[in-house]
Amino acid sequence: MIPMTINDPRLSTLLEHSAYASRWLAAQPQWVEGLVSGANTPIDSAVIEKILEPVYQVLNQESPNLEVLSSQLRLSRQKLMLGLALRDLSGLADVSEVTCAMSYFAERVVAIGVDALHKDMYPMVGEPQAQDGQYSPIIIVGMGKLGGLELNLSSDIDLIFLYEHEGDTQGGPKSLSYHEWFTRMGKRLIKLLAEHDENGFVFRVDMRLRPNGDSGPLVCSLDMLEEYLLVQGREWERYAWIKGRLIAPLPGSLDFAHCERELDQLIRPFVYRRHLDYGVIASIRELHAQIQHEAEKRSSHHHGRSRDIKLGRGGIREIEFLAQMFQLMRGGTDPRFRIRPTLEVLELLKQQEILPANEVDELKKAYVYLRRLEHRIQVWEDQQTHYLPEDEVARSRLAASMGGPDQTQEQATFLSELDQHQAAVALYFEKAFVLDDAARLDSASLPAGWEPDGALFPESAARWLAWADSSKQRQLPEKSRVIFNNLIRKAADSLQVDQPIAISADQTLLRFFDLLEAVARRSAYLSILSEYPQALSNVLALLKASQWGAEYLTRHPHLLDYLLNSRTEKALIENPEQY
């Protein structure tokens, strides 16, 4: 029974907007006083360490009782959730406080679980050891929102389990291979965190981002990971690993720096290219289309799932994809983009004037709004859901919670504000990914027999026939060959409409041929011209205006990036020495 002597509006707000909180405080009424008295204190690492004190008391025993540890971990999680929910619903905590607190707590409980299981396993099967005889710990990478320090109130945690090298355990009466030892630890850690009992759970654990997903081994060595990324690593895994962050060993520990360095040597070259990588635009566009299709399919087959604020149009995932596109595109040449939190990436795009300041501000506002809404949807029943409820009562309650304490907000006002944010996200996402098919280069093969008009492009037509029959053309990947051919046709069409005065259209197209042949093996450069119609226009303008500029660009194709900006293209022609 919740004590009725405590009359606090923040507590009333919590109970009104969270059935989960009502149940827990009815079951643990002794928590209410501490919850209310601490409501004005931001929940940071110090507060979380205080919450975890009963857990540490169990852990610090010589042989920790894992059942007692499991219970204390779950109770600590419930206390943290209630404190964050109270501060969030009362308008005292911003999104960053909630997500950072949940992420910090996740890191700590993973580390606690690893330490407890190491103590439990050592007397029977020893431990893996490095060459110097010291304990070689499991390497755990937090992916997704955990990696980005962006965990929700009811997030699962995406983990990848790794270990440094192969061998056999030392120090126990029985020896296991390192792979078997780490697999056993991984399975027990998942059970310790995710198993439900009368005290709930600590975190749901998702291991599907590991190499080969559910069909792959639960743990793998760094050598296995390296081989996988080199041979089988898929494009979507590059996006996933942007968020990858080493969480065990814990930052600040003796093993952390070594493990982070070893991991970074494998992951950085897989995720980030040494050049501006415009090829990611089409890849992310395709991945987004697949995810949105799946989201719509799930929604259509389940009552109450008509609006997904995470995966649907204008949802959280579109903001994340937009930020990740620029990270993958530029992170190889600019280390500042190798950061994880979405809001930090957006701010960097604003500072670097890559996106207009007003667009970034709207995206950031939408992101914060959608994450606040996500928390309120999830805290009602402590469920990991992203669907807007269709029930009128539930929507009205949600509208009131989004209005803030001491505010009244009608459902229609709430839905209107949500629509505005999602419409803005969808608009800027489509703009960044050039989702207008009419503006994008045709990705289909050219019609059989197409060639430049021989009357207007006599030399270029001969060059085209020679190219079509060349080994150089046949050696290109199919995708690059299609882009190359379509770029020639697009350039010919453009020159036919707007014929140059200073030189012939034929001469301009020949210069374009020279440029494309020089960059044909670098798909990223072809992608710049295919994904950005303005870049193609600027290149053709340069080729018309200056033979020297054409030759210089052919020798230094990395300058194509600058031609995304017409002012820079003008400067390149007029002041080439600065480049």
Side-chain angles (χ1 to χ4, degrees):
M1 193 70 167
I2 299 172
M4 301 305 296
T5 54
I6 299 177
N7 183 19
D8 189 288
R10 297 165 302 188
L11 180 62
S12 300
T13 298
L14 173 65
L15 299 176
E16 179 184 356
H17 295 295
S18 177
Y20 155 78
S22 297
R23 285 196 303 274
W24 266 100
L25 291 178
Q28 302 284 348
Q30 70 276 15
W31 289 358
V32 173
E33 186 175 350
L35 182 65
V36 172
S37 64
N40 290 325
T41 303
I43 297 179
D44 55 15
S45 59
V47 172
I48 293 171
E49 293 296 336
K50 184 76 174 174
I51 291 172
L52 285 170
E53 281 182 358
V55 177
Y56 289 127
Q57 289 174 9
V58 180
L59 178 67
N60 291 334
Q61 295 170 7
E62 186 174 344
S63 299
N65 184 315
L66 294 184
E67 285 190 21
V68 176
L69 183 79
S70 173
S71 295
Q72 290 300 333
L73 282 171
R74 283 154 175 72
L75 293 172
S76 295
R77 187 258 187 189
Q78 312 308 346
K79 288 180 180 179
L80 175 66
M81 282 279 290
L82 292 170
L84 287 171
L86 179 67
R87 284 183 52 78
D88 184 27
L89 289 165
S90 301
L92 298 171
D94 58 15
V95 167
S96 177
E97 179 181 324
V98 176
T99 57
C100 287
M102 289 301 297
S103 301
Y104 180 85
F105 181 78
E107 289 176 30
R108 302 310 294 190
V109 298
V110 166
I112 288 167
V114 168
D115 286 351
L117 292 171
H118 177 216
K119 285 184 177 182
D120 188 67
M121 293 169 67
Y122 182 82
M124 295 300 296
V125 291
E127 64 183 13
Q129 293 182 358
Q131 292 180 347
D132 62 1
Q134 296 299 307
Y135 169 52
S136 181
I138 191 169
I139 299 170
I140 301 181
V141 181
M143 305 289 281
K145 286 186 167 60
L146 173 56
L149 297 169
E150 299 166 328
L151 278 185
N152 299 329
L153 279 176
S154 195
S155 282
D156 60 6
I157 53 175
D158 295 291
L159 301 178
I160 293 178
F161 297 153
L162 305 167
Y163 59 97
E164 194 167 357
H165 53 82
E166 303 292 352
D168 296 304
T169 58
Q170 305 293 319
K174 181 181 177 183
S175 182
L176 299 177
S177 71
Y178 286 1
H179 184 83
E180 189 177 356
W181 192 93
F182 285 116
T183 299
R184 187 176 295 188
M185 170 172 273
K187 288 179 178 179
R188 295 184 68 189
L189 179 62
I190 293 170
K191 182 179 179 181
L192 181 65
L193 297 177
E195 192 171 69
H196 285 248
D197 64 17
E198 67 273 12
N199 293 315
F201 60 95
V202 189
F203 281 104
R204 308 172 190 90
V205 178
D206 191 336
M207 299 296 299
R208 290 176 295 175
L209 292 179
R210 70 187 188 270
N212 290 309
D214 286 337
S215 62
L218 185 67
V219 301
C220 67
S221 68
L222 293 181
D223 286 345
M224 291 167 61
L225 175 64
E226 181 178 27
E227 181 179 359
Y228 173 83
L229 296 178
L230 285 173
V231 177
Q232 300 182 57
R234 291 158 289 183
E235 198 69 21
W236 69 262
E237 288 174 294
R238 292 179 62 203
Y239 323 142
W241 274 100
I242 286 178
K243 298 279 191 184
R245 181 170 62 88
L246 183 65
I247 64 168
L250 278 173
S253 66
L254 292 175
D255 293 307
F256 177 82
H258 170 73
C259 292
E260 185 180 46
R261 185 171 59 253
E262 293 290 311
L263 186 63
D264 188 59
Q265 288 174 358
L266 301 183
I267 300 305
R268 190 176 69 249
F270 171 68
V271 174
Y272 298 109
R273 304 299 188 241
R274 292 181 180 179
H275 50 73
L276 286 157
D277 187 5
Y278 287 91
V280 302
I281 300 171
S283 299
I284 292 184
R285 184 194 297 122
E286 291 166 8
L287 178 61
H288 170 262
Q290 292 171 14
I291 289 175
Q292 198 166 55
H293 174 72
E294 287 299 317
E296 289 169 358
K297 192 163 68 173
R298 284 197 301 270
S299 297
S300 64
H301 290 108
H302 293 82
H303 177 69
R305 291 188 174 187
S306 64
R307 189 159 183 174
D308 188 333
I309 66 163
K310 178 181 179 181
L311 301 180
R313 184 176 183 272
I316 295 167
R317 183 56 53 84
E318 289 193 352
I319 304 175
E320 293 172 338
F321 271 178
L322 191 150
Q324 286 174 316
M325 178 188 78
F326 287 105
Q327 287 185 273
L328 288 173
M329 188 190 299
R330 296 176 178 273
T333 57
D334 188 344
R336 290 174 298 179
F337 282 90
R338 299 173 199 168
I339 52 180
R340 297 180 182 90
T342 301
L343 288 175
E344 290 184 21
V345 179
L346 292 175
E347 183 60 29
L348 182 59
L349 293 173
K350 178 180 175 180
Q351 292 171 2
Q352 298 301 305
E353 299 182 348
I354 293 170
L355 289 180
N358 66 303
E359 293 185 11
V360 173
D361 289 342
E362 286 194 54
L363 286 168
K364 289 168 69 175
K365 286 177 184 175
Y367 181 80
V368 169
Y369 184 88
L370 291 170
R371 292 302 304 273
R372 287 181 62 237
L373 176 57
E374 187 179 38
H375 289 161
R376 281 154 177 72
I377 292 172
Q378 294 182 350
V379 81
W380 173 248
E381 280 287 3
D382 189 18
Q383 291 180 342
Q384 189 188 13
T385 177
H386 308 93
Y387 294 102
L388 201 65
E390 294 187 351
D391 174 72
E392 288 295 312
V393 174
R395 282 200 175 185
S396 295
R397 183 182 63 246
L398 203 55
S401 72
M402 288 298 288
D406 306 321
Q407 302 290 323
T408 56
Q409 180 175 238
E410 297 297 325
Q411 186 183 150
T413 305
F414 157 63
L415 292 175
S416 175
E417 187 174 4
L418 176 60
D419 287 341
Q420 288 174 19
H421 283 302
Q422 291 195 287
V425 171
L427 173 66
Y428 297 138
F429 181 85
E430 290 165 6
K431 181 179 176 183
F433 284 83
V434 197
L435 295 182
D436 178 6
D437 288 336
R440 268 169 43 211
L441 189 73
D442 192 354
S443 60
S445 298
L446 290 183
W450 181 90
E451 60 184 59
D453 183 343
L456 186 59
F457 305 104
E459 291 187 53
S460 297
R463 177 84 170 267
W464 170 261
L465 292 174
W467 161 257
D469 196 41
S470 69
S471 60
K472 211 172 185 181
Q473 188 262 155
R474 289 192 295 272
Q475 289 169 2
L476 283 180
E478 174 65 20
K479 186 175 181 181
S480 295
R481 187 162 60 247
V482 169
I483 293 175
F484 186 109
N485 295 343
N486 277 297
L487 284 170
I488 292 293
R489 183 175 70 166
K490 183 84 170 177
D493 290 346
S494 176
L495 292 167
Q496 200 160 354
V497 171
D498 181 24
Q499 295 184 29
I501 298 173
I503 62 166
S504 70
D506 195 23
Q507 193 64 39
T508 305
L509 192 56
L510 284 172
R511 291 174 180 176
F512 190 56
F513 251 117
D514 290 338
L515 174 63
L516 285 192
E517 285 202 39
V519 304
R521 305 293 299 182
R522 301 292 294 272
S523 61
Y525 294 140
L526 293 178
S527 295
I528 296 176
L529 297 171
S530 66
E531 295 292 345
Y532 287 92
Q534 186 59 48
L536 178 58
S537 298
N538 291 342
V539 166
L540 292 176
L542 173 62
L543 301 182
K544 294 174 193 176
S546 168
Q547 180 179 353
W548 175 88
E551 293 171 351
Y552 193 81
L553 184 60
T554 301
R555 291 197 306 271
H556 304 283
H558 65 276
L559 294 174
L560 282 171
D561 180 57
Y562 293 99
L563 296 184
L564 293 176
N565 183 321
S566 58
R567 293 192 303 273
T568 310
E569 174 261 333
K570 184 172 182 289
L572 177 59
I573 296 171
E574 296 178 355
N575 300 294
E577 65 277 359
Q578 69 178 293
Y579 297 101

